Amino acid sequence: QSLAQGQAETGVIWANLSQVAATSEGAWLKQPRTADEIITVTMDNRPIAFPYTKLTVANSSVNQGAALLVASLAKARELGIPEERLIYIGAGAGASEADDLFARESFSATAAMRATLAQVLVRNGLSAKAVDAVDLYSCFPSVPKMARRLLDMPAERPLTVHGGLTFGGGPIGNYMTHATAAMVRNLRAGGQYGLLYGNGGHCTHNHAIVLSRHPIAGANLPQDYHFQAEADARRGVIPPLTDAYEGPAVIETYTVFYGRSGEPTHGVVLARNPAGERVISRIDATDAAGIAFLTSGTVEPVGQSGTTLRQGDALHWQMAQA
């Protein structure tokens, strides 16, 4: 994707999140937003870390609570819960990446996410097309973008039942409780299967589970939902990281950070040197040409060449001369 295409996809997904939040019980921000409003930088929608604006990141400034009641089927029936209100717990799956952000084979996908989403479908005997409702964790656009591709779900499909972490509200680690409560309400209103996918850290921890209107064979509790071995087997070679290299390198990924005024504070470039090692370098906010190169969308920075040069205590990035 070009930068414009990637931003347009984010706008479509997040506009749908806001539409769901507008009618979702317990959602924090209920004003529907258009795709353009979400991706356009304004005083009220300042840039946070490129290419994300305030309206595309998790909203932790909320005061929310949620609760779930889990019981055996016998106890639920003993308490007189009507059959049409019973929602059954299916099978779950989970796997993690290394806590070290730089110990990743790439920054466009994760083996742990692939294993988690593949196994949660297999364990419940489902295809992604059989799932009636989903809530894909949406702390930042990269997460639901990667997840929807693994599930072969279109960007135009609503990827939440609560409103997502921006609009539904992201009370730190408790968003998935809200999503689960919303999924129970959603399934009671219609549909058969709901898929919940949670993510934590820098796309580090992945967990998913299916809820259903009817019991799912083999999903009895307790269950072993760990698929770390499969995730590790899917993982490719992890490039080593070095801070001792100066010289030519090729950009692997990058971002620019912004202050509350909306002005850039600095950029960060993660590059590969000729030996395949990863090198982290900095672009100062005073390097207007360097910041513009990373953020203008005129040229795709990934794959472009430059040079790392030590200045003081830090490696700095300089673009190759045209």
Side-chain angles (χ1 to χ4, degrees):
Q1 287 183 322
S2 66
L3 174 62
Q5 290 169 331
Q7 291 292 81
E9 180 186 345
T10 294
V12 168
I13 294 173
W14 253 248
N16 280 336
L17 300 185
S18 75
Q19 292 286 344
V20 172
T23 59
S24 174
E25 181 181 343
W28 193 252
L29 299 178
K30 292 181 175 288
Q31 178 183 348
R33 299 281 189 164
T34 67
D36 284 343
E37 285 179 306
I38 287 162
I39 63 175
T40 300
V41 173
T42 65
M43 291 294 292
D44 293 327
N45 189 33
R46 60 186 174 86
I48 303 295
F50 188 80
Y52 300 153
T53 63
K54 186 177 179 181
L55 285 176
T56 63
V57 301
N59 180 2
S60 62
S61 299
V62 297
N63 183 9
Q64 294 175 298
L68 305 164
L69 293 179
V70 181
S72 68
L73 180 57
K75 175 56 72 172
R77 285 173 171 162
E78 177 187 327
L79 293 172
I81 307 299
E83 291 290 328
E84 65 272 15
R85 293 184 60 80
L86 296 177
I87 301 298
Y88 293 83
I89 299 172
S96 297
E97 298 293 335
D99 288 326
D100 181 357
L101 173 62
F102 304 108
R104 308 288 174 90
E105 60 178 302
S106 80
F107 297 99
S108 59
T110 87
M113 183 188 292
R114 289 196 298 269
T116 296
L117 290 174
Q119 283 297 330
V120 77
L121 293 174
V122 168
R123 296 195 70 204
N124 289 283
L126 296 174
S127 68
K129 289 182 172 56
V131 175
D132 299 295
V134 296
D135 204 295
L136 305 183
Y137 206 75
S138 54
C139 50
F140 310 106
S142 58
V143 179
K145 283 182 173 184
M146 288 190 286
R148 79 163 187 86
R149 283 165 169 78
L150 292 170
L151 295 167
D152 194 25
M153 292 180 175
E156 294 75 17
R157 173 178 179 168
L159 300 179
T160 184
V161 289
H162 176 58
L165 277 85
T166 302
F167 307 105
I172 313 299
N174 195 40
Y175 174 81
M176 291 311 299
T177 308
H178 293 272
T180 305
M183 185 64 77
V184 169
R185 293 194 295 268
N186 184 283
L187 291 175
R188 283 174 174 167
Q192 174 69 25
Y193 299 108
L195 172 61
L196 295 157
Y197 166 67
N199 187 284
H202 297 92
C203 281
T204 305
H205 306 293
N206 302 263
H207 290 90
I209 197 167
V210 167
L211 300 184
S212 172
R213 291 299 305 273
H214 302 286
I216 295 176
N220 297 329
L221 299 174
Q223 56 180 254
D224 182 5
Y225 55 85
H226 298 93
F227 287 91
Q228 192 61 45
E230 177 172 330
D232 293 342
R234 288 172 175 255
R235 193 170 290 112
V237 176
I238 297 172
L241 181 69
T242 179
D243 64 355
Y245 176 81
E246 295 182 71
V250 175
I251 296 177
E252 183 178 16
T253 192
Y254 67 96
T255 192
V256 173
F257 296 101
Y258 296 85
R260 295 189 66 84
S261 66
E263 295 298 316
T265 60
H266 64 285
V268 175
V269 170
L270 190 61
R272 298 278 198 100
N273 67 17
E277 298 170 312
R278 283 182 172 143
V279 186
I280 306 172
S281 56
R282 175 188 178 96
I283 295 181
D284 289 333
T286 53
D287 183 358
I291 297 294
F293 176 81
L294 294 181
T295 60
S296 69
T298 305
V299 177
E300 172 53 56
V302 173
Q304 298 295 315
S305 299
T307 302
T308 61
L309 178 66
R310 189 168 296 280
Q311 298 177 12
D313 294 334
L315 285 170
H316 285 250
W317 179 261
Q318 295 180 343
M319 290 306 306
Q321 296 297 315

